[in-house]
């Protein structure tokens, strides 16, 4: 799921299937410590672990029972490498089983908030008071009645005789709850105890250090060749372009494709902003007719993404012929959540949620090698890199915008008329959000044109017209999200303007679904 960064030691996270695995990585990164997520099956490869040379290993939670056939596991020798290990929830039970302990189904399960009692103020519980109770987020149906040989109990709960444990001599620890979630108030202290006091990590995972490492890597990869970058106007491609430009200078050419699926005035804004602030060779290609022709009559969102991704490569290939020199690379702003959501790693527990046009949606015979300098970053890390590179806030602070553009926000078939309806509604929506001073409080906001019509009344007449759905969410990384609670008067003003100003719309609805179970985009 990640790539070993040459010369950088960090935390190796083995994913045992928990919905919170990415949150573990987020918390580690927030402490300025480098980490990578890999499927638990990689933990059976001791040679891989030794090549990674981790400062510490974390075993994530997971939905399985450790005694189930086929349940995620790692090589028991991981516990004898002398590398600190922290097992979280399922991960602790896995440590216990590997160490000879007995994990059994419990008649009393713990899900949600629970109270644990601290039994020692050392290890991951350094700074806690013996006997104190603290609230944690539990999610387990199995139990460990006593620790395995050589281990001692460090925390208990009402239904878990062993809610925390550690080895007497080895740096191996386990907690039967999730310190990575906000519902465990002191979870950050527990993780930082592991990272700094136990693993002796240095807090050197910073935007500046990342930029330095990436520039060196890009220069080595590209050599004397040239690269092209597909600019979308969004944060990710902008930061990726700025980073590669810092590395290879005028051997980077950016190509902005007007695919006819853009927001209102997007093309003009991109041309103005990128030429003014970045000084990059920018070519603008109007390929709207080509994209819309390939999308004609297509309703399935996965097929839309596939066709858009393949068409992008066609356009890039044609545009690159006008770029002097040998073009060998295509720069993309792929992020870590894109990778996680798009593909299940070999042997890993993740499932494909959607195909991103830049992860798995590209034509297999494309003529360029990919450069994805942001592939290991979360969105907030990308914004920090952008600021470090000197990009303006109007660029790095923008809401995420999908590569396939409005094609996946027009549900059903895409045509110029439906696109224009959505474009106008979306423009009004964002304008009102900015005027209300709420733009920076929202992770992502957009309008969706639904493939249904409903009855309405305008003036003295009956109407049968389109419905528009509004979506606004709060999030830290896009992996999970909650709906944004608008002041009623703002939401009412937005709906009123859309219905009055956008011809063909007579109904506006607001989406109050969280992720999960819903996704952020409707598609």
């Amino acid at each position: 799921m990640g790539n070993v960064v040459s010369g950088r030691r960090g935390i190796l996270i083995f994913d045992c299937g928990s919905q919170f695995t990415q949150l573990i990585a987020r918390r580690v990164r927030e402490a300025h410590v480098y980490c990578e997520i890999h499927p638990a099956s990689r933990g059976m490869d001791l040679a891989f672990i030794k090549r990674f040379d981790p400062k510490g290993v974390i075993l994530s939670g997971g939905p399985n029972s450790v005694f189930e056939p086929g349940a995620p596991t790692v090589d028991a020798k991981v516990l004898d490498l002398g590398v600190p290990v922290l097992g979280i929830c399922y991960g602790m039970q896995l440590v216990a089983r590997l160490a000879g302990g007995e994990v059994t189904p419990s008649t009393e399960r713990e899900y949600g908030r629970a109270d644990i009692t601290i039994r020692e103020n050392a290890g991951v519980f350094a700074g806690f008071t013996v006997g104190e109770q603290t609230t944690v987020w539990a999610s387990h149906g199995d139990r460990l009645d006593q620790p395995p040989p050589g281990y001692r109990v460090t925390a208990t709960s009402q239904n878990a005789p062993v809610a925390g444990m550690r080895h007497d001599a080895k740096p191996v620890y386990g907690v039967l709850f999730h310190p990575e979630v906000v519902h465990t108030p002191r979870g950050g202290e527990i993780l930082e105890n592991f990272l700094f006091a136990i693993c002796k990590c240095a807090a050197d995972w910073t935007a500046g250090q990342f930029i330095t490492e990436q520039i060196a890597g890009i220069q080595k990869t590209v050599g004397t060749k040239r690269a092209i970058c597909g600019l979308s106007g969004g944060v990710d491609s902008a930061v990726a372009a700025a980073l590669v430009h810092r590395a290879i200078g005028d051997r980077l050419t950016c190509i902005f494709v007007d695919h006819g699926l853009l927001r209102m005035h997007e093309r003009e804004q991109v041309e103005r902003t990128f030429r003014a602030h970045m000084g990059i060779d920018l070519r603008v290609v109007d390929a709207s007719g080509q994209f819309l022709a390939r999308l004609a009559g297509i309703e399935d969102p996965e097929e839309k993404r596939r066709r858009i991704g393949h068409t992008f490569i066609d356009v890039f290939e044609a545009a690159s012929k006008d770029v002097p020199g040998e073009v060998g690379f295509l720069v993309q702003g792929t992020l870590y959540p894109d990778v996680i959501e798009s593909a299940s790693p070999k042997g890993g527990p993740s499932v494909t949620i959607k195909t991103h046009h830049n992860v798995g949606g590209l034509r297999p015979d494309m003529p360029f090698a990919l450069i994805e300098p942001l592939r290991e970053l979360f969105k907030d890390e990308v914004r920090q890199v952008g600021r470090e590179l000197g990009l303006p806030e109007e660029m790095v602070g923008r809401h995420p915008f999908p590569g396939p553009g409005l094609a996946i926000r027009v549900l059903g078939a895409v045509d110029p008329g439906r696109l224009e309806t959505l474009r106008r509604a979306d423009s009004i929506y964002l304008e009102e959000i900015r005027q209300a001073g709420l733009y920076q409080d929202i992770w992502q906001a957009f309008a969706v044109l639904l493939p249904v019509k409903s009855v309405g009344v305008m003036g003295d007449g009956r109407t049968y017209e389109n419905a528009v759905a509004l979506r606004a969410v709060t999030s830290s990384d896009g992996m999970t999200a909650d709906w944004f609670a608008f002041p009623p008067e703002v939401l009412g003003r937005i709906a009123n303007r859309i219905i009055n100003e956008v011809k063909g719309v007579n109904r506006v609805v607001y989406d109050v679904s969280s992720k999960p179970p819903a996704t952020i985009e409707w598609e």
Side-chain angles (χ1 to χ4, degrees), residues 202-511:
D204 58 0
W205 176 246
T206 64
Q209 182 65 25
F210 172 81
I211 290 170
T212 299
E213 291 179 357
Q214 285 298 316
I215 286 175
I218 292 166
Q219 290 172 338
K220 181 178 179 180
T221 299
V222 175
T224 60
K225 294 182 180 180
R226 298 185 62 91
I228 58 176
C229 177
L231 285 179
S232 67
V235 178
D236 307 335
S237 65
V239 175
L243 187 53
V244 175
H245 184 250
R246 180 75 65 89
I248 65 173
D250 60 9
R251 287 186 290 121
L252 172 69
T253 295
C254 288
I255 299 174
F256 176 71
V257 177
D258 182 352
H259 48 28
L261 308 170
L262 303 171
R263 291 170 289 194
M264 188 77 75
H265 306 307
E266 188 97 39
R267 174 172 172 172
E268 296 87 342
Q269 181 184 13
V270 168
E271 288 190 84
R272 181 178 63 253
T273 303
F274 281 85
R275 286 195 169 116
H277 291 287
M278 299 178 68
I280 291 178
D281 178 21
L282 175 62
R283 315 288 176 90
V284 178
V285 180
D286 187 347
S288 54
Q290 187 175 347
F291 277 86
L292 292 177
R294 293 193 181 182
L295 289 171
I298 303 301
E299 297 187 1
D300 179 70
E302 280 291 288
E303 181 63 16
K304 288 181 184 178
R305 286 182 176 272
R306 190 189 70 81
R307 293 189 177 213
I308 289 169
H310 290 192
T311 305
F312 261 112
I313 297 302
D314 291 341
V315 174
F316 286 139
E317 185 174 7
S320 69
K321 294 177 180 178
D322 296 326
V323 177
E326 183 182 359
V327 178
F329 299 90
L330 171 63
V331 180
Q332 290 200 142
T334 308
L335 303 192
Y336 210 8
D338 298 340
V339 178
I340 293 167
E341 288 192 340
S342 294
S344 174
K346 183 178 180 181
S350 305
V351 297
T352 298
I353 296 172
K354 58 186 174 184
T355 299
H356 289 260
H357 81 282
N358 55 348
V359 185
L362 296 176
R363 205 179 66 218
D365 62 339
M366 71 172 189
F368 312 112
L370 283 180
I371 296 178
E372 299 174 302
L374 311 178
R375 187 180 177 90
E376 300 296 334
L377 299 187
F378 291 99
K379 178 71 76 171
D380 62 325
E381 293 176 313
V382 173
R383 296 189 198 279
Q384 283 302 109
V385 169
R387 294 183 180 103
E388 189 81 13
L389 289 168
L391 296 181
E393 191 61 33
E394 66 181 278
M395 189 181 296
V396 297
R398 296 192 73 188
H399 289 180
F401 186 62
L406 299 182
I408 59 172
R409 293 176 180 173
V410 171
L411 302 194
V414 177
D415 61 56
R418 301 190 74 212
L419 282 168
E420 185 59 23
T421 297
L422 176 60
R423 192 174 286 119
R424 291 176 60 82
D426 188 71
S427 178
I428 291 170
Y429 185 29
L430 294 179
E431 178 185 324
E432 287 293 333
I433 287 174
R434 286 190 173 94
Q435 288 184 357
L438 300 174
Y439 189 83
Q440 297 302 327
D441 296 333
I442 298 171
W443 163 266
Q444 189 173 6
F446 56 90
V448 180
L449 184 62
L450 303 182
V452 296
K453 291 187 175 182
S454 64
V455 173
V457 177
M458 289 187 177
D460 295 323
R462 177 184 183 274
T463 63
Y464 186 61
E465 294 180 331
N466 295 295
V468 166
L470 304 180
R471 181 76 156 141
V473 299
T474 58
S475 180
S476 60
D477 51 33
M479 297 303 298
T480 60
D482 201 2
W483 59 278
F484 180 74
F486 275 108
E489 64 275 11
V490 174
L491 200 56
R493 185 164 61 247
I494 293 168
N496 187 60
R497 279 196 62 193
I498 290 175
I499 291 172
N500 285 329
E501 298 177 31
V502 181
K503 185 177 180 180
V505 176
N506 69 355
R507 189 178 299 272
V508 173
V509 297
Y510 185 57
D511 182 352

Side-chain angles (χ1 to χ4, degrees), residues 169-220:
K170 302 174 186 176
V172 182
Y173 302 80
V175 292
L176 197 62
F177 55 87
H178 293 277
E180 69 273 23
V181 303
V182 296
H183 306 296
T184 302
R186 300 187 67 179
E189 296 176 55
I190 293 170
L191 289 175
E192 290 190 3
N193 281 335
F194 180 71
L195 296 175
F196 300 116
I198 296 169
C199 297
K200 309 299 183 185
C201 291
D204 58 0
W205 176 246
T206 64
Q209 182 65 25
F210 172 81
I211 290 170
T212 299
E213 291 179 357
Q214 285 298 316
I215 286 175
I218 292 166
Q219 290 172 338
K220 181 178 179 180

